[in-house]
Amino acid sequence: MITLNGISKSFLVAKRPSGIKHAVKSLFHREYTNVEALRDISFSIAPGEIVGYIGPNGAGKSTTIKIMSGILVPDSGTCTIHGYTPWLDRVPYVKNIGVVFGQRSQLWWDVPVMDSFELLRDIYNIPQAEYRDNLTLLVDTLDLGSIIHTPVRQLSLGQRMRCEIAASLLHSPSILFLDEPTIGLDAVSKIAVRHFIKTINKEKGVTVILTTHDMNDIEALADRILLIGKGTLLYDGSVQGLRGQFGTRRTITVEYRENANPLDIPGASLLSWTPDRAILSVDTEQILISDAITRLSSQVELLDVTIDTQPIEDIIVQMYKEYEL
Amino acid sequence: MMKPYLSVFRLRISNGLQYRAAALAGVGTQFFFGFIFIMIFQAFYAHASEAPSMTLSQVITYTWLKQAFLALIVLWLRDNELFQLITSGNIAYELCRPSEIYGLWYAKLLAQRLSSALLRCFPILIVVGFLPEPYRLQLPPDFVSGLLFLATLLIGLLMIVALSMLIYISVFVTMSPAGSLLLFSIFGEFFAGLIIPVPLMPDWMQKIVYILPFHWTADFPFRVFTGNISKTEALTGILAQCLWLAALILFGKFTMDRALKRVVVQGG
């Protein structure tokens, strides 16, 4: 059980305008601005959930993860995870969590992956039987068999990331924080990572909190999303709910027998048009899909119709606009 | 309890032992500088107006010991991985471990020095034991002095690692290792007697040197080996070394805790 209540965090950032004059001036007097990274963030997460934590760059996603993993101390607010306050009970608390920072590495660069794993076994004091079971599971599901004896410096990014994820799960944590686990990965590796996250969530009941910029990750994994922008929590709910709230538009692609007249449907905007093909964006709050199609068929001789829901990326972009992020 | 630290130690040793070419090059360099130092001292001794408080043969043995155990006594030996960990923010991972960072890093640095010294000291010690006079390494006056030497060298090594931890801790504040490293290595090297043995320094300077901790890490064990320091003096010296070691570790842990409370891992 994870509960955050009124968490705020600000950083002091030294600033100075560019140019030599200001550089010399800042030798004597330095100006700082107070950047509010997080403002009054509250949410709670139940065991076994997969939560997608999304927001534009600099929104405060990583700061929240760092607070929840005990690395940063917030200015105010409370955070209780498994009865611990992460930054106060750091050492007993961190045994319960696994963390992957997609942009950093926890494996020793010059030694085979296996050596790093064994080091982690000793650091977390994992019983031999448990270690062996976890290792077998991780090697099988993440397909590490062929790379586990290779020094980390010789691995590709995708291979390394799979090892990083395995490394953070060796001690059977009940909570897994993933900070951009799919950054820079190719499609195949992304799918492998997603599949794996689903598996450990189902089979071992691991609670997963995941930040990402890849909306496909969210759609494939998260039952629930938290949207954060400029340090404030903007949306907390299901992916479907987000669609319901913001995704009222549908895209209709129609093919028809050659027709010189452009289409005109009230409540729909034409995204592209050629004499035999058109793409329309329909706002379902203004016109029902069935009405739109009826009108279309009265204007042209339809050959093919496809209706797509709005990709979640577009919804997010729309939300960003709405909240002026 | 000690398992994580032992494990880091073991991994770093096995990692360090694979760098054979670096060790070979190091041995060559250390022979070269050993001869240079000895020739300079020979010139000084040939023109000395009064007899210095250390014999030339003691100074030569001192110099070879210094060259052989360089990895155990110099402050400029550094672990760039740790510097990168701090400046790049990868320390975020270290903070997610249920262990004390001070202990893990201490074990890592200790192992780095030991693996480095193990590869280098034996070839040097064997060769200089058979060099023609006056370049030959003179064995300690008796067996007990030899044992005392090993004990003082070991405690000195533990002190050096505790001292070098302060360099890493300072990087939390400065974010650049260059300054601390330069300052520590130049002063540390001089005050440890690595440029000239402490007994050859002027009296007023010796007084300063004996206040500071550095001479316990190199000058002291080497003079125990040569017999320049008596066995009873060596025993009281070991006590002083232990006190310094405890003080340095306590100070290091204290400052590290303070630094970690203020740490801000930026970006990503």
Side-chain angles (χ1 to χ4, degrees):
Chain A
M1 183 69 178
I2 301 173
T3 317
L4 270 76
N5 212 330
I7 291 281
S8 299
K9 173 83 188 169
S10 55
F11 297 105
L12 272 186
V13 179
K15 65 155 192 187
R16 69 159 210 257
S18 61
I20 291 213
K21 196 180 121 201
H22 292 286
V24 173
K25 209 170 138 197
S26 73
L27 288 176
F28 303 100
H29 178 72
R30 235 168 247 201
E31 279 175 30
Y32 293 93
T33 32
N34 202 25
V35 176
E36 279 187 85
L38 293 178
R39 269 180 252 185
D40 195 23
I41 298 280
S42 306
F43 57 81
S44 61
I45 295 170
E49 272 192 280
I50 300 185
V51 177
Y53 197 42
I54 53 175
N57 287 323
K61 300 185 299 291
S62 294
T63 307
T64 318
I65 297 279
K66 282 171 198 156
I67 286 174
M68 288 195 284
S69 48
I71 296 169
L72 284 181
V73 184
D75 299 337
S76 63
T78 57
C79 171
T80 315
I81 302 176
H82 280 314
Y84 296 107
T85 300
W87 57 92
L88 294 179
D89 317 307
R90 196 178 68 78
V91 172
Y93 165 68
V94 291
K95 289 192 178 178
N96 299 293
I97 61 163
V99 188
V100 175
F101 296 106
Q103 313 211 28
R104 313 193 184 285
S105 179
Q106 61 183 322
L107 304 168
W108 281 35
W109 194 244
D110 283 323
V111 299
V113 180
M114 200 57 196
D115 285 355
S116 284
F117 285 0
E118 279 170 7
L119 179 65
L120 288 169
R121 177 195 63 199
D122 293 344
I123 286 181
Y124 283 99
N125 206 2
I126 310 169
Q128 191 59 37
E130 183 186 337
Y131 172 75
R132 219 178 20 242
D133 290 351
N134 282 344
L135 189 67
T136 317
L137 175 78
L138 291 164
V139 166
D140 288 349
T141 46
L142 282 166
D143 191 20
L144 302 178
S146 56
I147 52 177
I148 205 159
H149 296 293
T150 315
V152 176
R153 59 165 188 269
Q154 289 170 358
L155 297 181
S156 74
L157 182 62
Q159 292 172 327
R160 207 197 79 207
M161 192 54 70
R162 281 184 279 147
C163 294
E164 298 273 357
I165 292 174
S168 64
L169 284 163
L170 286 169
H171 57 290
S172 342
S174 54
I175 302 174
L176 179 63
F177 295 106
L178 298 167
D179 194 359
E180 305 191 27
T182 55
I183 195 164
L185 299 190
D186 64 20
V188 178
S189 305
K190 273 185 185 178
I191 289 166
V193 166
R194 276 178 211 147
H195 175 72
F196 173 75
I197 295 172
K198 266 239 132 77
T199 311
I200 55 144
N201 174 260
K202 278 226 178 69
E203 288 187 5
K204 305 189 91 183
V206 177
T207 312
V208 180
I209 292 127
L210 158 99
T211 80
T212 181
H213 290 291
D214 186 337
M215 291 309 148
N216 294 322
D217 288 349
I218 298 288
E219 281 195 280
L221 289 172
D223 320 314
R224 176 179 166 199
I225 53 176
L226 296 168
L227 175 75
I228 185 177
K230 289 201 178 144
T232 318
L233 201 59
L234 301 172
Y235 177 84
D236 178 354
S238 67
V239 182
Q240 286 77 18
L242 187 69
R243 274 192 201 286
Q245 199 175 335
F246 292 91
T248 54
R249 299 192 89 88
R250 298 287 180 275
T251 311
I252 304 182
T253 310
V254 284
E255 281 172 39
Y256 39 81
R257 243 180 250 298
E258 253 186 60
N259 189 321
N261 306 324
L263 300 166
D264 177 38
I265 312 286
S269 54
L270 213 51
L271 296 176
S272 80
W273 181 87
T274 59
D276 56 359
R277 192 165 188 271
I279 302 172
L280 298 106
S281 171
V282 180
D283 187 344
T284 51
E285 283 183 329
Q286 291 185 39
I287 181 169
L288 289 174
I289 292 285
S290 54
D291 290 348
I293 293 174
T294 315
R295 278 171 179 275
L296 278 171
S297 57
S298 68
Q299 291 178 22
V300 290
E301 201 176 330
L302 288 177
L303 295 176
D304 191 14
V305 179
T306 39
I307 303 167
D308 294 308
T309 54
Q310 197 178 4
I312 195 146
E313 277 103 330
D314 295 356
I315 299 176
I316 300 289
V317 170
Q318 198 185 330
M319 282 181 82
Y320 287 177
K321 270 192 195 139
E322 204 136 313
Y323 291 110
E324 291 178 354
L325 296 182
Chain B
M1 253 308 277
M2 288 302 286
K3 209 171 160 198
Y5 309 114
L6 281 175
S7 185
V8 169
F9 182 78
R10 230 183 11 242
L11 183 53
R12 191 67 186 81
I13 286 260
S14 64
N15 192 16
L17 287 177
Q18 67 189 342
Y19 299 116
R20 283 173 307 182
L24 207 62
V27 168
T29 316
Q30 275 139 35
F31 270 118
F32 176 78
F33 278 103
F35 278 113
I36 298 266
F37 274 117
I38 288 171
M39 284 173 207
I40 294 171
F41 284 123
Q42 277 181 313
F44 277 130
Y45 272 78
H47 300 285
S49 48
E50 51 181 309
S53 54
M54 241 178 133
T55 66
L56 179 61
S57 120
Q58 282 178 340
V59 172
I60 289 170
T61 299
Y62 184 113
T63 305
W64 284 131
L65 289 172
K66 180 182 89 184
Q67 296 307 106
F69 295 109
L70 206 66
L72 302 184
I73 54 174
V74 292
L75 276 167
W76 50 255
L77 194 78
R78 61 186 176 272
D79 188 335
N80 284 322
E81 258 177 50
L82 291 189
F83 286 131
Q84 275 168 18
L85 219 57
I86 302 170
T87 51
S88 71
N90 272 349
I91 189 166
Y93 273 121
E94 306 274 295
L95 288 167
C96 301
R97 306 271 180 251
S99 303
E100 273 226 75
I101 296 184
Y102 188 94
L104 289 182
W105 288 12
Y106 192 98
K108 195 172 177 214
L109 292 172
L110 186 64
Q112 183 197 20
R113 284 182 185 270
L114 275 177
S115 61
S116 185
L118 280 175
L119 281 178
R120 288 162 174 78
C121 73
F122 295 111
I124 297 181
L125 288 178
I126 291 168
V127 173
V128 298
F130 293 99
L131 283 177
E133 292 292 354
Y135 298 107
R136 187 180 299 173
L137 175 103
Q138 303 296 328
L139 290 178
D142 51 57
F143 184 68
V144 180
S145 300
L147 284 182
L148 282 170
F149 161 73
L150 286 180
T152 54
L153 185 69
L154 182 71
I155 306 172
L157 168 65
L158 297 176
M159 275 180 73
I160 269 286
V161 177
L163 278 166
S164 65
M165 279 298 289
L166 299 178
I167 304 179
Y168 297 91
I169 294 165
S170 77
V171 176
F172 278 105
V173 182
T174 62
M175 281 327 236
S176 154
S180 317
L181 206 55
L182 200 67
L183 219 65
F184 264 87
S185 47
I186 289 182
F187 282 104
E189 200 165 331
F190 184 80
F191 288 123
L194 296 185
I195 313 270
I196 42 171
V198 179
L200 302 185
M201 292 178 185
D203 285 340
W204 61 270
M205 190 171 276
Q206 287 192 26
K207 281 186 192 125
I208 301 173
V209 169
Y210 286 135
I211 295 171
L212 295 169
F214 303 101
H215 73 101
W216 293 114
T217 64
D219 182 79
F220 175 64
F222 296 161
R223 278 162 64 199
V224 169
F225 186 96
T226 60
N228 187 274
I229 286 178
S230 72
K231 276 172 278 189
T232 43
E233 277 177 291
L235 282 172
T236 47
I238 287 180
L239 191 69
Q241 276 187 314
C242 291
L243 288 176
W244 265 113
L245 178 63
L248 286 169
I249 290 180
L250 281 176
F251 180 68
K253 279 195 165 194
F254 172 74
T255 45
M256 187 148 197
D257 277 348
R258 300 246 335 222
L260 286 179
K261 284 214 179 80
R262 298 184 19 199
V263 73
V264 174
V265 179
Q266 293 169 334

